[in-house]
Amino acid sequence: MIRLPERLTERIAQVLKEKNIHDLEQQVKYLTNYLNSRKRPTENTELRAAAQYYTRQLSSEDYNNLDSDEQKKLEQKVKNKLKKNLYHWRPISYDESMSTVYLASRMAPNYAATYRVLHEIKKRIPDYQPSTILDFGSGLGSSVWAADSLFPDSVKEYYCVDVSQAMNNLSRSLLMKPGSTSDEDQNLTIPGVYQRFFLPVSPKVNYDVTISNYSLLEIPSHEERMRLIEILWNKTSDFLILIENGSLEGYFMLMEIRNLLLSKSQAEGEETVDPAAVGHVFSPCPHDVICPRLTRQYARPCNFYQSYEPIRVPGATTKVKGTERFSYLVMRKGQRKQGEPSWPRVIEPVLQRSRHVICRLCNQDGNLKEVIITKAKHEKDLYKTAWYTRWGDLLPIKGDLGDPSNRPDGTKNTEGTEENKTPVEELGC
């Protein structure tokens, strides 16, 4: 379970006490549910297609053959259908009150997901020491706190971009040392944090890492989102880290971005190798081919879970442990190194049975596979490693470990069954 840094926890408790938001517990629940169900904005092409569909459905005659009164009635019926069946995306305005509610609701899970993703980078590359980080949609600074926990001495500059003045103010106040009266750099717990409303204009300014966590669903259109991703990709000299809600919406959005960046990388590789464009998937995928879950008739998001210690809301009954469901994508500049270990990723809970372990994996060849590791047929170290492996981990194995159809407990693989399935065609993928 991941916990916020102690100095941050103390500062949050102080801020929540000072703000004294009325009915904070209920507002936290409402905002949490609203953000978990948030979807991408409906595109104009989708809106027009839906309008044409409902027009044909509600009228047997051609629209142009109707008189003006009938046309007006039909248009009203179509509008009612669109209003009822399409998602109505609206931007969220984070004023001082809403920013405080967001602090109580999302600071801990955002920090936990970001910490976990950054921790994998540190674990796989022990000597990696970023010196500059660009955080787009920085909000309350969860990425700054997570990066400082893992790279406390290396990061010299955090360039934080957020359009909300209230968010920036609250984020700054969380960074202030106890007893400080100003938010100048020397009075901050984490030095080198610079907050801006816009991304750096100069194309020459790059950062070791660019991060965007839980921000891309706030971009009002697909075109703007893709343009933003290209900017963030060009701004990093090493890693681009994207973290979103673990829903189908968050997953599909990250897959759009993954396909965009890989297609650009492959196109550049065919013509001229441009280090600013060429890259590969660092995690969670151990491969650069299309996600195997997108190729199935029914889609299931590739997501992961991380436990965390929730923030204590004054006057509320606080859970001992929270669980954050998230999807993420880490892209790295440059080609995938030849000979570098590319272990499969555990994409579902590991099933521990008597004398054997069942792991469902995404392999380096881009296929999903289920392997059964037993005490009798495999080495003791491998069996022990698989036993303690958790959902989202890399499993250090290579080669075929057995036929997944031959299962000792007689159960079946649930990947792609009727449970919780949504047709890919219905989701526009």
Side-chain angles (χ1 to χ4, degrees), residues 145-385:
W145 286 94
D148 181 72
S149 297
L150 291 164
F151 309 103
D153 301 320
S154 68
V155 182
K156 307 303 180 184
E157 178 188 354
Y158 297 93
Y159 192 100
C160 301
V161 180
D162 200 286
V163 297
S164 170
Q165 181 66 62
M167 277 283 198
N168 288 332
N169 292 341
L170 185 53
S171 173
R172 199 75 176 175
S173 70
L174 294 175
L175 290 166
M176 291 175 60
K177 296 177 180 177
S180 299
T181 56
S182 69
D183 61 356
E184 296 179 2
D185 194 60
Q186 64 267 23
N187 294 328
L188 301 182
T189 304
I190 304 174
V193 179
Y194 304 97
Q195 293 166 310
R196 300 291 185 269
F197 293 112
F198 304 101
L199 287 164
V201 176
S202 173
K204 297 181 180 180
V205 178
N206 284 343
Y207 298 83
D208 295 334
V209 179
T210 57
I211 301 177
S212 176
N213 66 352
Y214 300 95
S215 299
L216 297 179
L217 285 175
E218 304 307 317
I219 307 301
S221 72
H222 175 270
E223 183 181 354
E224 290 183 49
R225 191 161 52 246
M226 294 301 107
R227 188 162 57 244
L228 168 66
I229 291 301
E230 290 188 7
I231 293 173
L232 295 180
W233 181 238
N234 291 332
K235 285 293 180 187
T236 184
S237 59
D238 208 340
F239 286 103
L240 169 62
I241 301 172
L242 306 173
I243 305 172
E244 289 296 331
N245 187 290
S247 62
L248 277 169
E249 284 294 316
Y251 164 66
F252 277 125
M253 183 172 61
L254 291 178
M255 291 302 99
E256 288 177 346
I257 294 168
R258 181 183 185 274
N259 294 340
L260 170 72
L261 296 180
L262 288 178
S263 65
K264 285 177 63 66
S265 175
Q266 292 165 2
E268 290 289 341
E270 291 173 2
E271 299 168 6
T272 77
V273 178
D274 181 5
V278 176
H280 65 278
V281 181
F282 181 82
S283 65
C285 318
H287 57 81
D288 294 332
V289 299
I290 188 171
C291 176
R293 283 187 165 174
L294 284 178
T295 62
R296 301 194 167 211
Q297 180 184 2
Y298 291 93
R300 293 178 61 188
C302 183
N303 54 26
F304 306 93
Y305 285 74
Q306 178 59 54
S307 61
Y308 64 92
E309 185 178 275
I311 291 172
R312 297 184 179 276
V313 177
T317 303
T318 306
K319 295 185 295 184
V320 176
K321 183 176 75 171
T323 304
E324 173 67 1
R325 180 189 65 173
F326 68 99
S327 295
Y328 74 101
L329 173 67
V330 180
M331 296 290 298
R332 192 177 192 187
K333 287 291 180 74
Q335 298 285 357
R336 192 180 293 273
K337 294 180 180 178
Q338 295 293 333
E340 183 180 5
S342 186
W343 294 329
R345 177 84 56 178
V346 180
I347 57 170
E348 289 190 32
V350 174
L351 304 180
Q352 298 170 330
R353 299 291 185 259
S354 175
R355 299 183 181 179
H356 70 277
V357 180
I358 303 169
C359 298
R360 285 148 185 173
L361 309 172
C362 181
N363 284 343
Q364 52 267 40
D365 59 3
N367 292 316
L368 301 179
K369 189 170 185 179
E370 182 180 90
V371 298
I372 302 168
I373 301 173
T374 68
K375 276 188 173 181
K377 294 182 179 180
H378 301 97
E379 295 180 1
K380 181 180 178 181
D381 289 344
L382 176 58
Y383 175 77
K384 193 172 182 180
T385 298

Side-chain angles (χ1 to χ4, degrees), residues 37-89:
S37 61
R38 196 152 172 78
K39 297 182 179 181
R40 292 167 291 179
T42 303
E43 300 295 324
N44 290 331
T45 53
E46 297 172 326
L47 184 61
R48 286 193 295 269
Q52 292 171 0
Y53 170 78
Y54 289 127
T55 300
R56 293 192 300 269
Q57 187 184 61
L58 294 170
S59 177
S60 58
E61 295 186 38
D62 186 271
Y63 176 83
N64 295 323
N65 295 333
L66 301 175
D67 60 40
S68 59
D69 290 339
E70 290 175 330
Q71 286 181 351
K72 289 180 180 179
K73 289 180 181 179
L74 179 58
E75 288 171 1
Q76 187 58 49
K77 289 180 180 179
V78 170
K79 287 180 181 179
N80 292 338
K81 280 282 190 179
L82 294 174
K83 186 176 181 181
K84 181 179 179 181
N85 294 296
L86 292 186
Y87 179 75
H88 298 281
W89 182 91

